[in-house]
Amino acid sequence: ASDVYKRQEMNKVFKVVAVSALSISSANVFAVSDTFDATLEVKQAITMTKTSDLDFGIITSDNTTDVVIAQGDAGAAAFTLSGESGDAVTVSISDTNLVNGVNTIAAEFDFNNAITLTGGTAALNIGGTARTSSATLVAGTYTANVAVDVTYQ
């Protein structure tokens, strides 16, 4: 009985060793390796040259309608954009308030938010609406410094 017991124990040890060896060799079979490419594209920097500011004109304090300047009007703001030829850019401008002391007039802007730099340049014209119909108009000059952000798409 003891020889049978020893054989059974030896068989168990052999099976554990065999399973362990199989597990170790299986891990090597399932391991893989690969590579990837890392790239960096450098584009010509975007430049912006302002050629005119947005001018809503002159109104009187009894005005009851909003003042609208279209992109193509003489009072529109204008920039020349330069960058990578044929690339598209995104333009971002946030609406703001025109301010005169404690008095404000809401201003909204009208512009093309996606422009292609044909030949490396493009015109950006910015119109807008001064919401004078809903403001209390106090005599004075209302101004805002408005940020224009241009990024490659």
Side-chain angles (χ1 to χ4, degrees):
S2 84
D3 284 338
V4 172
Y5 177 76
K6 287 180 184 177
R7 268 189 256 140
Q8 288 175 345
E9 288 302 309
M10 288 299 286
N11 283 340
K12 286 180 188 177
V13 170
F14 178 73
K15 287 179 184 176
V16 168
V17 169
V19 168
S20 296
L22 184 58
S23 296
I24 292 169
S25 67
S26 295
N28 290 335
V29 171
F30 290 108
V32 295
S33 180
D34 206 343
T35 63
F36 65 91
D37 294 329
T39 60
L40 171 66
E41 180 181 359
V42 178
K43 291 184 175 265
Q44 177 183 341
I46 301 170
T47 60
M48 228 177 3
T49 305
K50 180 175 63 174
T51 56
S52 64
D53 290 312
L54 178 58
D55 184 357
F56 285 109
I58 300 171
I59 62 170
T60 59
S61 60
D62 61 349
N63 185 69
T64 58
T65 59
D66 292 338
V67 177
V68 178
I69 303 296
Q71 291 179 36
D73 290 349
F79 291 86
T80 299
L81 306 176
S82 297
E84 197 76 26
S85 181
D87 277 7
V89 295
T90 299
V91 178
S92 175
I93 304 171
S94 296
D95 294 340
T96 191
N97 287 320
L98 304 174
V99 179
N100 174 20
V102 297
N103 304 299
T104 62
I105 298 172
E108 300 166 358
F109 304 104
D110 178 38
F111 56 96
N112 292 331
N113 64 354
I115 298 174
T116 299
L117 301 174
T118 305
T121 63
L124 169 61
N125 297 314
I126 305 162
T129 301
R131 297 288 177 197
T132 54
S133 64
S134 58
T136 301
L137 300 177
V138 176
T141 301
Y142 291 75
T143 62
N145 189 326
V146 182
V148 179
D149 297 317
V150 179
T151 56
Y152 281 113
Q153 290 184 358

